[in-house]
Amino acid sequence: MLEVERVRPVRVGFRVFSLALHNEGREVDPWYRRWLDARWGPARVVAAAQQAHGEGVVRDLYTAFGTRIHLDKHPVDDALNRAALDAVGLPRALADAAHRTDLDDLLRTANRQALEPLAEDLGVPALHLHGDDGTVNAFFGPVLSPAPRGEAAGRLWDGIALLAATDGFFELKRGRTRKPV
């Protein structure tokens, strides 16, 4: 979406979301549970940053985490939390939130707000398209790997926006034929 924003007249906002919380109490493979458990920390750090500095920091902090986790393959640990905070100029003291549970109610509220417009038990990415008339059209996806860049991202967005504006459109999906890039 950040690529789309560069080539189309859209404004992208980010909200706190916790995959660990979303999958809490669900039966998942043990390796995935370990993967999820490690992600409580970054979600709590983002929640603490939002609480202390406002919603405006969520976008840059999520981007800092995502770059380090997905591109740099940084382990999800306390050093990652500090590095992401450093990258966006936020106080390192916020990294302590990774081990606190007092922000979990804030995360629960944020998760609920992200997923309620989807009307089903889906997940993230959850896109909310806000119309000029106040309507919200929300859906899960798209899931892409690798992410398109520049005008390719814009063309993909044009298609997504067209589908989203089509009354009665609900789902488009195909099976994965390869691992994410």
Side-chain angles (χ1 to χ4, degrees), residues 3 15 50 56 106 115 118 123 132 157 161 171:
E3 283 291 314
R15 302 189 120 214
Q50 177 186 1
L106 186 149
L115 298 180
L118 296 175
D132 293 335
W157 176 253
E171 184 172 355

Side-chain angles (χ1 to χ4, degrees), residues 3-8 147-156:
E3 283 291 314
V4 171
E5 192 177 55
R6 294 174 54 199
V7 296
R8 295 295 186 270
R149 301 286 182 215
E151 187 55 29
R155 285 191 307 275
L156 177 63

Side-chain angles (χ1 to χ4, degrees), residues 1-157:
M1 286 306 303
L2 296 176
E3 283 291 314
V4 171
E5 192 177 55
R6 294 174 54 199
V7 296
R8 295 295 186 270
V10 299
R11 184 179 56 82
V12 179
F14 281 66
R15 302 189 120 214
V16 176
F17 190 87
S18 168
L19 271 178
L21 176 60
H22 179 62
N23 287 283
E24 190 176 49
R26 295 175 192 231
E27 189 172 322
V28 297
D29 288 336
W31 71 266
Y32 190 57
R33 176 63 56 206
R34 287 187 301 276
W35 186 90
L36 287 169
D37 287 347
R39 270 113 186 114
W40 275 104
R44 288 173 175 152
V45 169
V46 174
Q50 177 186 1
Q51 192 174 55
H53 299 278
E55 277 192 36
V57 301
V58 174
R59 170 194 181 118
D60 291 342
L61 192 51
Y62 259 126
T63 302
F65 272 116
T67 298
R68 282 158 184 75
I69 292 170
H70 300 295
L71 299 179
D72 301 342
K73 306 300 182 194
H74 195 296
V76 180
D77 57 15
D78 290 337
L80 169 70
N81 299 332
R82 290 188 299 272
L85 290 163
D86 287 348
V88 297
L90 290 172
R92 276 188 161 201
L94 290 168
D96 295 340
H99 305 286
R100 296 179 8 219
T101 59
D102 61 299
L103 295 165
D104 292 357
D105 283 342
L106 186 149
L107 288 172
R108 281 183 177 77
T109 299
N111 274 28
R112 192 171 43 258
Q113 290 171 341
L115 298 180
E116 272 178 346
L118 296 175
E120 291 189 33
D121 184 29
L122 296 172
V124 292
L127 290 179
H128 298 200
L129 283 72
H130 296 264
D132 293 335
D133 60 356
T135 59
V136 176
N137 194 345
F139 54 92
F140 166 75
V143 177
L144 300 158
S145 180
R149 301 286 182 215
E151 187 55 29
R155 285 191 307 275
L156 177 63
W157 176 253

Side-chain angles (χ1 to χ4, degrees), residues 154-165:
R155 285 191 307 275
L156 177 63
W157 176 253
D158 295 341
I160 290 169
L162 179 64
L163 287 172

